[in-house]
Each structure stands twice: as structure tokens, then as C-alpha cells.
Amino acid sequence: MAKTYRVTFEPEGKTMFVLDGTTVIEAAGRAEIILNLPCGGKGTCGKCKVEIPVGCPSHTEKELEHLTEDEVHRHTHLACQTHIHGDMTVAIPSETRFFEQKILVEGAGRKVAPEPSVRKTFVKVKEPSLKDQSADMDRVLASIRDIAPDVRVDIDAIRTVPDRLRGGKFAITAVLDEDELLSIEEGDTTAHNYGVAFDIGTTTVVGMLVDMTSGQVVATASRTNPQVVYGDDVISRISYAMENKNGLAELQEQVVAAINEMIAEACREVHVDRRYVYEVFVVGNTTMHHLLLGIHPKNIAQAPYVAAVRKSVEVKAADLGIHINESGRLHAMPNIAGFVGGDTVGVILAAGMMHSSELKLAIDIGTNGELALGTKERMICCSTAAGPAFEGARIKFGMRAADGAIEKVVIHDDVEVNVIGRARPRGLCGTALIDAVAELLRLGIIDPTGKVLPPEEANGNVPDAVRERIVPGGMGHDFVLVHGGETPSGQPILLTQRDVREVQLAKGAIFAGIQILKQELGVKDEDITEVLLAGAFGNFIRRNMAKRIGLLPDIPTDRIKFIGNAAGAGSRMALVAKGCRREAERISAETEYIELGGRPDFQNEFMMAMMYPERLNHA
Amino acid sequence: MAKTYRVTFEPEGKTMFVLDGTTVIEAAGRAEIILNLPCGGKGTCGKCKVEIPVGCPSHTEKELEHLTEDEVHRHTHLACQTHIHGDMTVAIPSETRFFEQKILVEGAGRKVAPEPSVRKTFVKVKEPSLKDQSADMDRVLASIRDIAPDVRVDIDAIRTVPDRLRGGKFAITAVLDEDELLSIEEGDTTAHNYGVAFDIGTTTVVGMLVDMTSGQVVATASRTNPQVVYGDDVISRISYAMENKNGLAELQEQVVAAINEMIAEACREVHVDRRYVYEVFVVGNTTMHHLLLGIHPKNIAQAPYVAAVRKSVEVKAADLGIHINESGRLHAMPNIAGFVGGDTVGVILAAGMMHSSELKLAIDIGTNGELALGTKERMICCSTAAGPAFEGARIKFGMRAADGAIEKVVIHDDVEVNVIGRARPRGLCGTALIDAVAELLRLGIIDPTGKVLPPEEANGNVPDAVRERIVPGGMGHDFVLVHGGETPSGQPILLTQRDVREVQLAKGAIFAGIQILKQELGVKDEDITEVLLAGAFGNFIRRNMAKRIGLLPDIPTDRIKFIGNAAGAGSRMALVAKGCRREAERISAETEYIELGGRPDFQNEFMMAMMYPERLNHA
């Protein structure tokens, strides 16, 4: 096994074991600590500063350009420029974190000031007497007439107004959401105005509790989408809803329960009373969106793959069983199509693609790969059925990125692997799958057609230790990543010929999707200013490896950027700024959806894209 | 006992026994069949036509002015001009009925055309294909863009749109409520558009199923408000809600259950599917309003008697547990004050008082007497605590107008009474109470201070049989209405001295309220063009008797009109015409509420009004 080092991240106290030479930013990502990285890891923006109190290496020239003398003394480094060659402790300041960063209320390059929909105002209300018997709500409305001359009133605000007025001795805070009076609160509560932005993924649900006045995230929570017990992908969820009488209601209850737990957890963490949470904003793919709102997604699963609703939806949170303020609202990001949902709208919004004259390509790889390409002039998108290969399914030793998963493969004299959680290796996750195929392509062990060559046909430069790992298998030859003696089961971990074919299908679908989008816009690789990798998987991909296997276009690596949980960032932006909601509506309405299914030109591109590239121009 | 005759009303088959000389319209009212009577019973409008196939009397000159030759042959009579001097069968055509009459969509003298808030439109929607994958709701919205360019969409419409579109083979009916798309229905359902108008009284709930296209009532239902088990009057309901943990919820559930039963019953009667009912409109006093909507009414019961909300409230009917179309709405008539609710707004609306330059006084007598006086220039109102005397409470032999209740008292040579339901008399209801006091005042048995005189002090003209009925009692003298031998219990039915005092208090409060309203507007009795008696009790009062005891002002009897269930009529008008909703909002906002409690001038008027009038100018 290759040399690994222990890295501890503070203040979380999370410890990772990483291969020699891994960058700090990559290690942090593996520890699920996402850092701000506007320049894409080139070391030019100086935004990814961390402190390394234990095991601090020397500073590079590039780092010193961005550090003050004081910072150098405090062992500050740029996480993207620091390679790990020994055990270390890394402290990550909050300003470097993606979740607590301004990028979440900023699109790429543009500021978005907090402009919450919900506003609060403290007023003293005239007390009733026999000479002034007007109704409680009338006197509240009179007291806010200057700032809200004509408001509708929520029924729960009416139900609670008598006690709140008297409880507050007629000094109350009115909570307004646009032209609606949501709630009356006793005394001055104007300092307490919260919302929660959710990214509801098929696998993971992420929630961010936001102080609506500052626009800052004050707590986060995440957990596995409890619907996974009904199946890994959206199709299996839809099938469950179709085949079981109360299937839709069950799936809805599951995700609502998770949302409630996460809101409670985040509120508890920072001592926020849940009744001061007035808005929930959710993004998700169209199926997750429909399931949460109790809309049957069955027509998404069958041609012509039609969603029930595209536009944004607003409902009373309590009507879905979500526990926030009794009058609080839930807003759902608008969708684009049955297989391009509000999560993609969130990515386009967060990346500011609809504000840019520069051509950008956003890629969100999961079971499906959602792609968006365009400028503010025209934006198009598509969804490709990438299959679950990168999530570990259909791969002989495939597994999710959990303890015991190989997450990185490097081949020099022999194979070196890094395993998550300092466990002995049990399988490999998506990034290692890409690494392994890329390295074997580089070494000439896999040929451009995807065939694993027998030992005698492999390139003459291949070291013997590596060549000996090529063994006969069911479909030809397989490659031994880890020998049997190093695994808990005693069985070797293989990359099989069949696995290589699965990767071909998956990367071929995504690459062909990119080709179709480019053709549709009449652009070439060199016209693409930035490739934006969104989502959890995208942020762990090693860009050169992804290009090597032909998953990503062959454009300079520094133009390929990680934008983290951009769907979640879009959710948060839309939560805190009304302008972003309007922009999201525009993205949803104006982004053209390109259906790849049944297109002859897509089939052709797909056949070609399944080949592995012979070599790259921009390695 | 005096002579009574049997009258059978068709098509109901209801049979009543009435005193000789009773008018057909009065008998019909006692049978709870309310007839149209725009002229107030003067025989000038000719609207109360009925047919008398059995026992038809000869026609009067006045009747013949309004009847065609054919009608005379069909035994048609005017119900207000026909006195009963023998058994008869009366057939009441639907156009004569109050509930099925245009007066319910007309104010007094003005036409209100149906202008429903909910409208339906049948459209053919473009079917989806791989070339047109827009969401279901997008394609519906595109198909109605011409008539509804910018609509919000109800969440339940989104939930049901996929199945409804496909179930209707993309030919559907869109149901719009103002700027909201409520529902999508399979095929062409434009012929089915219903609403239900409710009058939720403290004692009785009345519901009218209305065809919203024609504005006509197609079925009615009524029942006792099930909340009566928690107490007869609003104060006892409020107390129950205050003293029991789930009191408010219990009271709400009771009335919601009654509403659901009545909707089901009315729909069943005319084979209307409940999902085609899109709107419920309710009027009620402020306490009934609050209880239905789940708003605690406790502050109404204590000074300064403040309601939680005055303006109209709209909620999703399903949120209250009311079963109509899944997206249907409930609208509540706006209130005026804690003790003048949406029912009074309904009366003012139905009577067109806010459209008239003529000064009108509306009186709705129940436990409280609600009074409204004014013209389109200025409208004022008040509520007087009349006490439940007219409903039978606190009266020694008082009872509601049920079987065995004396409902009419006439004194000639001796006392003649009419009893409801051909039973032997058990007690007396409000109208008989008024009759008895009025007759004893006329005969000089009760003096203007309200004292029942001993036999030797009564006027010399009193027949002996009557004089002998004056007997010593607990507070002085009582009057025997029915001798013990004629009652089931064997005990005589008395009008006691205490009863006479209760009537003094009740009529005094109402009369004093009228005085204060007149003073407030600076008007006199002779300026009042019409006195409008609303509600069930008001419609059974004999006007001369009510004037005789000083309950009503001493103005010519033909200016005192019965306007039936005007609150219910107002509910129906607001249900079918948006213009009426706007007018109701204006009535609620502009009608000034005069608080009588604690006003020295009211106390003074009240003391004076407790005296009985010595004689009338307009007997």
C-alpha cells in the first residue's frame, strides 16, 4: 500500500487519511468540508486560506503572493496549493467555507444583497376602549398602514391576534410576506427572522438555516434522503409511488420528516425558536419536487416525460406538515422539464450563467447528468441517463463514497490507492473508478475501444508489478486494484472488463449530451470559457482524470471549476433575495430543454463518445 | 277554545291549525313556508299568489285587480289578502316562495345579476409529445391564456392536473376563481357550477345550494345549530370555549359537521356532485363567525367587546374540514363589531339600505336585537341586549315556537289562543307573549307602568270571563291564559306579573336602541320610510301588537315590512355576485357602530322605553 498521512480538520475534529501529495483542498472535500474556490484551484484568487498549526509545510512562492507577514507567521496556507507530505492539523476559518461564504448570496462575479420576502416591523397598537371598539386586526392594520397599505391577512394571524396583542400589551411585531400579513408577535421580535434553504437530492438532503437580515447561514444540517429505502434513483421512487396505494403519501411523509428533523436540529444548534422561521425554500430534481409537494410524478417516468408543473409553487408549510411558524410558507424552485428540475435552475442561478456574456457549461453528475450550456442570450439544457456507475451501482466492486471505499487510484511503479476512513479497502467509489480507467488508458492497458488488453499486448513501458495485475476474467481481462491479501474478505478488488464498459456508457452519455448542446448552439470546445462542476460527485472528480477518460471535454484544466453544492447555493440565494426568485422564474421559463431521447444525432454522438480518447490536447 | 281550521300546504303536505280569520300568509309562515311579500302585505304588489283548490273562498276586489281570468278559475288568491274561515288546501307555486325568488339576488328594488367569482371554461389542451414536453400545468395555462393571462394556481389543481388531463383526453374544463386556477376537470363540466350560501344563526343554520350560472337556489337545507347543546346564546358558547381546553375546537367541529351534512343533503336532493360546489359563503353573528373559523371569541364577551377581525375572510374550505371541491373556498361575510356581525351586513345588503336615499330601519330580534338605521349617506347600527324573553327564556310558561306552544292570543268575549301542532297548550312562544301583553294593555288590565291590575281596578269594559282570569300571584297579580282543565299538566298557563316585567325590559332595550339611533342621525319616526323586520322571529310578529307594547315605533303599519331571512338573502347575494361582496365590504367598513353600554343617554331612554305606550297614533 502507498504511503498515507493523517489530516485532522478543525474545528470539526474530522480526521482523514490521504495519499502522499494530495492537496489540502481535496482532503477537505473528502471530509465533506467544502471550501470557497472561485479561481478553480489555480492559486490566483487567494480565497482558500487555511491555517496549519501542526505539520505546517513551507510556503510556495505563489502562496506568498497572497499572504501577509502576519498570516505567514500564523501558518496560513492556500488549501489549493498545499500538498500533503506528512500528518497535519488544518484549521478552516469560517470565511473560507463555502457554506458560510458570500458566494452563496452571490452569483459568479455579481453581488446579491439580502432582499428577504419576509419583513418585520415593531409597532405600538392603539388599545381598544368603549370609545374605540374596532376589531383587533383592524387596529393592527391601521398601525402598519404606512408601510403596508393594502395587505391580505393569513387566517392563522387572525386566530392568534387577540392573544398576541394582549400578551404584548399592544406592543407587537407584524410579520409581512409581500402583500400578506403572516403573523403578529408579542413585543419586539424584529431581530429574529429566519429561513431555511433546502437542497433535496435523490440521495442527500442538505438544509441551511439562514438569518434573513444578514443573508448569512447560521447552521446547517444534512442527512440521507430517507426515501432511499424505496430505491436509489428517481425511477424506483416513481415506481414505488405508482405500485403502492399510499406510495406517494409515504414518500412525501418520509422527506417531510427529514425536513422537520433538520430544521429542528439546525434551530437547536444556534438556539433559534422555530416559530421565527417564516420561509422554507426547496430545490430538487423534478421528481423530488413532486414527491415533496404531493404531486404524483408518474408521467415523468414515461415518454414524453412530462412534469405536472414547471412554475414555482408556494404553499403553506403547515399544509405539508412542515413545522415552522404557523403561517410560514414553503417555496419550491421552478422546474425546467421532467428530467431537469429546480436543482439545475439553482445551479444556473448560483453560477450567474444567465447574467454572463461568457459561454459556460454546467455539469451536475448523478444518476442522471444534467447539463446546461449558454450565455445570457440563450441557455439550453439536457439530461442524460448516465446510469448509476459513478455512484457505484453496476460496478463489480462499486460502492458509495463511504468508509472502506477506494477514492483515489495512482499508478507509478505499482498501484497506489487511498481508502476513506482508514479502513481496509472493500470496494471503489466513482472517483477511483475514473482514476483507474484513466491510469490504465494512460499506460496502454485499456485501448481506445475500451478493451482491457491481455498482459502480453499491453504497452512495453508498463512496470511488471502492474502488468501482473492483468488477469483473465469473465468478459476478457480484468485488472487487480488491490490484492486479496490486503482486503478484509481476502478477495482481490478488481476493475473488470464489464466495469470498463459501464464507464464507457456513462461517460459516453454525458459527453454526447455535451456535444449535442454545443451543436445546438453552434459552438466548439474552445468557445467554452468555463466548465462548472456542480454537486457532491463533481467536486471530488480529478479533472485531468475525467478529461482522460473523455467524461469532460478536452479544454484547459484551469477552465474546469468546482462550484460545490451550487443547487443548494441557488436555493439559499432565492431564499434571501426576491430578485433571485424572479431570476429563477426567468431561468425556468427561458432555458430551452433539449430532449435527447430518440434523436438520431444523439445516438450517433453517443456511439462515438463511447470510444476513449487516444490522447488529449490539454492534458 | 276558539274555532280553528285545518290548512294543508302543498306540495309539502304540511298541516297547520289556525284561528278563524288568520291570513294565509301568516299560516304559511307558521308552517315555515316563507312567501315573497315585497309590498309588506298590503295587497298592492300581487306577488304572493297561491292556489286554493280545496276550500277556496270568494275573491276580494283587491285580489281581482291582480288576477287574470284564468287565474281566478284556477282558484288563485293573494296569500296576504285571504283570511281563513274554513278548512283549506293551499298550493304554493315556486315563484311565490321567498327562497326561490329573485328577491334573493335582488336588493329592495334593484336588480343584481349573477356575477359569480368562479367561472368555468372548456378548452382543448395540446397533447404532449417528445417535441413538446412542457409541463401539464404550462399547457393548461397556455390554453386559457386569452381569458386568464396571469393566474395563480392552487396546489390541489397541480396535484390533480396530470390525471384530469389524461382522463379527459386533453379536453378539460378549467375552473377559475378570480385570478386563481382552482381546478381542472375532465371533459366539459361548464354546466355544473354551484355554491352554497349559509346563514349560521345561534339557533338555526340555513343553507341554500345555488346554481351559480342562473343565480337560482336549487335546494335548501336547515337544521338546529348543534352548538345549542353548549348553551342557547352566544355568551354561553363563548364561556364554553373559554372554560374548556378544546372548547373552541369542539364548537367548530359541531358547526362544520352540520354544514357538511347540509351540503350533502342539498346536493343529494338535486343530484349535484359535491365536487362541483366551489364556494361556500357564510353569514353569522360575530361569535358564530369566529367559532366557525376557529378564532377564539373571548374578547367579544368582555368590555370593550372587541372582535378579532372585521374584514371578510377567505379560506380553503378543506382547511376547515368542509367537503366541497378540493380547492373550493369559504368566504365569510365581514363583520361590523363584536355584537353586530356579518348577519347584519347581510340584512343591510339584502335590503339595499346602502343604495337608498330613503331612511330605513332594519330590526333583527333574537337574544340580541341588532338595529341598523340610515341611508346611503350614513348608516349606523347598534346591538341591544334584548334578553331571551321573546325566545321563551325567563318567562314562566315560555317556550320556543314548537308543538304545544301558544303562538297567538286574541281577546274578545274571552281569551282565544292558537296552538302549534294541534296539541294541547303547554306554554307560550314570543309572538303570543307580545299578543297577550298587547291585548291586556288594550283592555286596561295592564297599566302603562306594566302593573297587572287587580280584577276590581281593571277597566269596566272588560268582559267578566276575562276579568275572572286575573288571579293573585307572587309579585302581585297574574293572568290565566289557559285554564288548568285544558292543559296536559292540569295546571293553568299564566302570564305572570314577572313575565310582563321581562317583556318590558326586552322591548325597552330595543325601543331605546331605536331612539338612540334616531337621535344620532337627528331624525324622527315620521322620517322613517320603512321598518324592516328580519329573521325568523321578526317574520311572525303581528305588527300592531308589537307597536301596542312599544316594541316597534308608532309608525303606520304598512311601513313595517317583513323581509324574511334577509341575512341569508344577503349571504346568497354575496355568493352569486362579486359586486355584492364589494358592497358588503363597504357596508362593514362604513357602517358606524354605536356602543350603547355605559351611555347615560341610553340609560335614560331605556328607563323611559320600559313604560308601555298609553295609546298609538297609528294603530
Side-chain angles (χ1 to χ4, degrees), chain B residues 373 378 380-381 514-523 592-594 596 599 601:
Chain B
L373 179 70
R378 188 177 175 208
I380 62 177
C381 70
I514 296 169
Q515 298 311 106
I516 294 291
L517 292 188
K518 279 164 28 189
Q519 286 165 24
E520 196 73 27
L521 283 190
V523 297
E592 297 164 43
Y593 174 70
I594 310 294
L596 300 180
R599 262 178 92 128
D601 57 346

Side-chain angles (χ1 to χ4, degrees), chain A residues 204-285:
Chain A
T204 309
V205 184
V206 176
M208 293 158 264
L209 180 65
V210 178
D211 181 327
M212 298 297 281
T213 310
S214 67
Q216 295 294 307
V217 171
V218 293
T220 63
S222 66
R223 61 195 61 206
T224 300
N225 187 331
Q227 293 173 347
V228 293
V229 301
Y230 303 99
D232 276 0
D233 54 24
V234 297
I235 298 300
S236 55
R237 309 279 168 88
I238 297 173
S239 300
Y240 187 84
M242 291 174 74
E243 289 159 13
N244 295 276
K245 193 161 173 294
N246 293 314
L248 172 61
E250 271 181 62
L251 290 163
Q252 186 185 27
E253 280 163 27
Q254 293 277 355
V255 69
V256 166
I259 285 172
N260 280 329
E261 287 166 20
M262 291 163 74
I263 293 172
E265 180 187 319
C267 286
R268 205 160 44 230
E269 188 183 324
V270 287
H271 307 290
V272 165
D273 190 320
R274 197 147 58 166
R275 71 180 171 197
Y276 295 134
V277 177
Y278 305 97
E279 286 188 285
V280 168
F281 203 99
V282 298
V283 306
N285 62 53

Side-chain angles (χ1 to χ4, degrees), chain B residues 12 38-39 64 68 127 144 154 170 185 187 258 261 369 423 436 447 485 504 512 518 524 597 603:
Chain B
E12 283 88 346
C39 74
L64 291 173
T68 65
E127 289 193 40
I144 59 171
D154 183 90
F170 294 86
E185 293 169 358
E261 287 166 21
D447 78 4
Q504 272 180 290
K518 279 164 28 189
K524 297 199 159 55
Q603 298 302 338

Side-chain angles (χ1 to χ4, degrees), chain A residues 379-390:
Chain A
M379 185 67 59
I380 62 177
C381 71
C382 69
S383 172
T384 66
F390 297 128

Side-chain angles (χ1 to χ4, degrees), chain A residues 284-301:
Chain A
N285 62 53
T286 309
T287 300
M288 292 304 111
H289 168 280
H290 279 34
L291 292 177
L292 171 62
L293 294 172
I295 303 166
H296 208 296
K298 60 189 163 188
N299 296 306
I300 296 174

Side-chain angles (χ1 to χ4, degrees), chain A residues 196-497:
Chain A
V196 189
F198 278 96
D199 170 24
I200 301 180
T202 311
T203 307
T204 309
V205 184
V206 176
M208 293 158 264
L209 180 65
V210 178
D211 181 327
M212 298 297 281
T213 310
S214 67
Q216 295 294 307
V217 171
V218 293
T220 63
S222 66
R223 61 195 61 206
T224 300
N225 187 331
Q227 293 173 347
V228 293
V229 301
Y230 303 99
D232 276 0
D233 54 24
V234 297
I235 298 300
S236 55
R237 309 279 168 88
I238 297 173
S239 300
Y240 187 84
M242 291 174 74
E243 289 159 13
N244 295 276
K245 193 161 173 294
N246 293 314
L248 172 61
E250 271 181 62
L251 290 163
Q252 186 185 27
E253 280 163 27
Q254 293 277 355
V255 69
V256 166
I259 285 172
N260 280 329
E261 287 166 20
M262 291 163 74
I263 293 172
E265 180 187 319
C267 286
R268 205 160 44 230
E269 188 183 324
V270 287
H271 307 290
V272 165
D273 190 320
R274 197 147 58 166
R275 71 180 171 197
Y276 295 134
V277 177
Y278 305 97
E279 286 188 285
V280 168
F281 203 99
V282 298
V283 306
N285 62 53
T286 309
T287 300
M288 292 304 111
H289 168 280
H290 279 34
L291 292 177
L292 171 62
L293 294 172
I295 303 166
H296 208 296
K298 60 189 163 188
N299 296 306
I300 296 174
Q302 56 211 22
Y305 318 112
V306 173
V309 64
R310 177 186 57 78
K311 291 191 174 187
S312 61
V313 173
E314 180 189 327
V315 291
K316 213 162 165 172
D319 287 349
L320 295 182
I322 292 174
H323 306 317
I324 55 172
N325 180 279
E326 70 262 4
S327 305
R329 297 289 191 266
L330 177 138
H331 304 264
M333 188 74 95
N335 299 307
I336 294 175
F339 279 102
V340 181
D343 48 356
T344 301
V345 174
V347 169
I348 296 172
L349 175 69
M353 292 170 73
M354 275 290 221
H355 277 261
S356 176
S357 312
E358 296 186 340
L359 184 68
K360 295 179 184 181
L361 170 67
I363 305 178
D364 195 347
I365 303 172
T367 307
N368 287 293
E370 287 120 10
L371 310 173
L373 178 70
T375 64
K376 64 182 175 185
E377 306 298 334
R378 187 178 176 208
M379 185 67 59
I380 62 177
C381 71
C382 69
S383 172
T384 66
F390 297 128
E391 292 173 333
R394 294 193 217 151
I395 300 298
K396 186 166 176 116
F397 288 89
M399 64 183 287
R400 290 192 180 276
D403 281 1
I406 300 169
E407 60 91 13
K408 185 172 185 176
V409 177
V410 183
I411 305 181
H412 295 302
D413 298 337
D414 196 0
V415 173
E416 296 172 24
V417 299
N418 189 43
V419 181
I420 297 173
R422 209 183 196 182
R424 290 167 78 191
R426 294 187 293 122
L428 71 166
C429 72
T431 49
L433 187 65
I434 293 171
D435 287 353
V437 173
E439 288 289 73
L440 297 183
L441 277 167
R442 179 177 62 79
L443 291 168
I445 293 173
I446 296 177
D447 77 3
T449 70
K451 183 179 179 192
V452 180
L453 299 176
E456 62 278 12
E457 289 181 28
N459 190 308
N461 297 333
V462 173
D464 288 345
V466 177
R467 189 184 302 267
E468 284 162 15
R469 289 173 180 261
I470 305 172
V471 295
M475 270 177 66
H477 287 81
D478 300 337
F479 186 84
V480 178
L481 286 170
V482 180
H483 293 296
E486 295 166 17
T487 67
S489 67
Q491 296 297 313
I493 295 173
L494 302 172
L495 177 76
T496 68
Q497 176 65 65

